[in-house]
Amino acid sequence: MNLKVLKQTENKVIFHISNAEIPLVNALRRALVEEVPTLAIEEVTFAKNNSALYDEILGHRMGLIPLVTDLKTYNFLEDCKCKGKGCARCQVKFALSAKGPCTVLASDLKSRGGVKPVFPDMPLTILLKNQELQLEAVASLGKGKEHAKFSPGLAYYRFYPELKTTKISNIKKCAELSKNMVIKGSKLEIKDIAVWTEADEQICEENKVDIDYNKEEFIFTLESWGQLDIKKLPNLALEIFEKKLKELSKLVK
Ligand SMILES: [Zn+2]
């Protein structure tokens, strides 16, 4: 399996994976989305809420706030020395107190452990005059397979496309319609595979240029929600996958 970074931004990275099989690439995708843990709010206790939003809706919104996660500091509740009772090593406590008129933002959540929301300007609710919100919230580590709010990002892959040359007039039309296709000699080629889209595929289809998909090569896209450093995400996922394989091999023995 070979891996080459095609494009990288602050919260998105696109790889070209070659010489790999679908189950392996899919295992990497699943480990990324479902197994890499992050912090998210699990419990909210309302002392006061006369905003327009019900407690349940606000609680749900708060659960979805991505929190900057330090995996070295926090343990899973079930693996913690406190035996699941909850302590500073497995839970983060937040307090929020706001009085209207104002917009309550994610940054209004103040934690005792210094944990901050990834996007401080995320609005939670709007308070009008005489409306008040007072609450306490508890965040803990979890996995995307338990709840999507714990997912560290989005990962997906597509097969690597190869354009099959047909009539030159069709090739010319494709190159005219898409900025991402160029004519080289008598062949149509993709300029930048990292920005190849379904719209480009549609242009090929409409102009009778066949696309062959190489099922051992992939364009793998990873988008992070910001809780963890995107550069560390693939390694974290692979470590978890390796651990699972070791467990399996032990069981087989
Ligand atoms: Zn604990």
Side-chain angles (χ1 to χ4, degrees):
M1 183 170 170
N2 298 315
L3 210 142
K4 194 178 124 199
V5 176
L6 292 173
K7 199 175 183 182
Q8 188 167 0
T9 60
E10 197 187 330
N11 51 13
K12 190 172 176 178
V13 58
I14 303 171
F15 306 107
H16 175 194
I17 298 178
S18 54
N19 224 339
E21 283 174 11
I22 301 168
L24 190 63
V25 179
N26 197 38
L28 173 63
R29 181 193 68 82
R30 289 186 61 170
L32 277 163
V33 175
E34 295 178 358
E35 299 284 350
V36 176
T38 70
L39 284 172
I41 289 175
E42 276 277 84
E43 285 171 40
V44 186
T45 310
F46 289 88
K48 213 173 217 180
N49 174 23
N50 56 356
S51 75
L53 296 187
Y54 301 129
D55 293 359
E56 290 86 344
I57 296 174
L58 263 176
H60 183 247
R61 285 179 80 102
M62 288 168 67
L64 294 173
I65 297 173
L67 300 170
V68 178
T69 302
D70 179 2
L71 291 176
K72 283 188 185 133
T73 309
Y74 294 99
N75 306 320
F76 282 106
L77 206 68
E78 58 272 25
D79 301 337
C80 193
K81 278 182 188 166
C82 70
K83 291 175 184 165
K85 280 182 198 156
C87 69
R89 297 299 310 261
C90 61
Q91 284 186 331
V92 189
K93 291 193 171 152
F94 292 91
L96 190 154
S97 176
K99 215 171 187 179
C102 68
T103 301
V104 183
L105 303 174
S107 58
D108 291 320
L109 273 169
K110 306 291 179 201
S111 88
R112 280 167 221 162
V115 173
K116 290 197 165 102
V118 177
F119 307 104
D121 295 332
M122 263 177 86
L124 284 177
T125 186
I126 291 171
L127 296 179
L128 302 176
K129 202 182 163 192
N130 297 327
Q131 289 186 337
E132 236 180 293
L133 189 61
Q134 273 179 33
L135 58 87
E136 283 188 344
V138 180
S140 51
L141 278 185
K143 293 176 181 176
K145 66 178 178 188
E146 293 156 14
H147 195 292
K149 68 181 175 182
F150 292 115
S151 222
L154 188 65
Y156 53 92
Y157 59 85
R158 292 189 292 158
F159 296 124
Y160 203 96
E162 278 164 17
L163 307 180
K164 292 281 153 193
T165 312
T166 52
K167 271 191 206 162
I168 191 77
S169 59
N170 295 344
I171 288 171
K172 273 185 185 161
K173 262 187 209 160
C174 285
E176 264 169 37
L177 290 165
S178 166
K179 283 181 187 162
N180 202 11
M181 285 184 249
V182 276
I183 302 171
K184 275 193 186 157
S186 61
K187 281 185 173 176
L188 183 65
E189 285 185 10
I190 297 167
K191 230 194 236 173
D192 183 359
I193 193 68
V195 290
W196 180 254
T197 63
E198 280 168 13
D200 293 319
E201 285 178 6
Q202 203 179 338
I203 290 171
C204 288
E205 198 184 314
E206 281 166 6
N207 293 289
K208 298 191 175 64
V209 168
D210 293 335
I211 306 173
D212 257 10
Y213 294 97
N214 185 336
K215 293 192 175 159
E216 286 181 358
E217 284 194 46
F218 306 84
I219 313 165
F220 194 100
T221 307
L222 172 62
E223 284 179 51
S224 159
W225 305 144
Q227 302 101 315
L228 296 159
D229 183 355
I230 192 163
K231 285 180 208 143
K232 291 181 185 157
L233 276 178
N235 272 343
L236 283 169
L238 290 172
E239 276 167 24
I240 292 165
F241 184 50
E242 208 182 335
K243 214 170 146 191
K244 279 180 178 285
L245 286 178
K246 275 184 190 158
E247 273 170 32
L248 178 71
S249 113
K250 239 190 226 171
L251 288 171
V252 170
K253 272 177 197 163

